[in-house]
């Protein structure tokens, strides 16, 4: 009898980055959150098509020079977009797209 892996959250939903919008007169900084907003579950690392969404997010972050955060439970790790892509096996694709300035 084969046992299937239970569904877990799609990995892309744990990545995000922030873009500065403006600074208010009192010094408060306002940021816009950029994320895939994925809440899908899967038996794999990514739900269908969500790896492409994450690649696009990494390229956007890289073009803008923003750090990418990965949040897993109560741990947050921030890295350069190319380093995140390297961890996922996409370094060449993401680095080349960042250099072109597009996804």
């Amino acid at each position: 009898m084969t046992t299937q892996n239970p569904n877990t959250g799609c990995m892309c939903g744990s990545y995000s980055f922030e873009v500065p919008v403006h600074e208010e007169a009192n010094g408060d900084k306002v940021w816009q959150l950029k994320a895939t907003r994925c809440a899908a579950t899967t038996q794999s690392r990514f739900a269908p098509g969500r790896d492409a969404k994450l690649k696009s997010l990494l390229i956007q972050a890289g073009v803008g020079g923003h750090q990418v955060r990965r949040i897993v439970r109560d741990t947050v790790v921030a890295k350069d977009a190319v380093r995140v892509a390297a961890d996922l096996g996409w370094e060449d694709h993401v680095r080349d797209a960042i250099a072109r300035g597009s996804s």
Side-chain angles (χ1 to χ4, degrees):
M1 181 176 177
T2 304
T3 305
Q4 283 193 316
N5 294 333
N7 283 349
T8 58
C10 178
M11 193 177 190
C12 81
S14 63
Y15 292 91
S16 65
F17 69 96
E18 297 171 344
V19 177
V21 176
H22 68 271
E23 187 169 334
E24 296 182 348
N26 64 2
D28 291 347
K29 294 180 181 177
V30 178
W31 301 79
Q32 181 181 24
L33 181 66
K34 300 287 186 173
T36 63
R37 307 251 189 247
C38 181
T41 59
T42 181
Q43 292 179 1
S44 184
R45 291 192 317 168
F46 299 103
R50 301 313 289 192
D51 55 335
K53 291 280 189 184
L54 180 54
K55 285 176 194 172
S56 179
L57 184 82
L58 295 177
I59 293 164
Q60 289 174 25
V63 167
H66 306 291
Q67 290 279 301
V68 177
R69 295 180 306 158
R70 180 162 189 229
I71 302 171
V72 179
R73 289 181 287 282
D74 62 349
T75 302
V76 179
V77 176
K79 293 183 183 182
D80 173 86
V82 174
R83 286 187 56 214
V84 173
D87 292 346
L88 296 168
W90 306 331
E91 182 176 9
D92 292 340
H93 172 78
V94 171
R95 184 184 325 108
D96 293 347
I98 290 169
R100 288 190 312 270
S102 66
S103 55

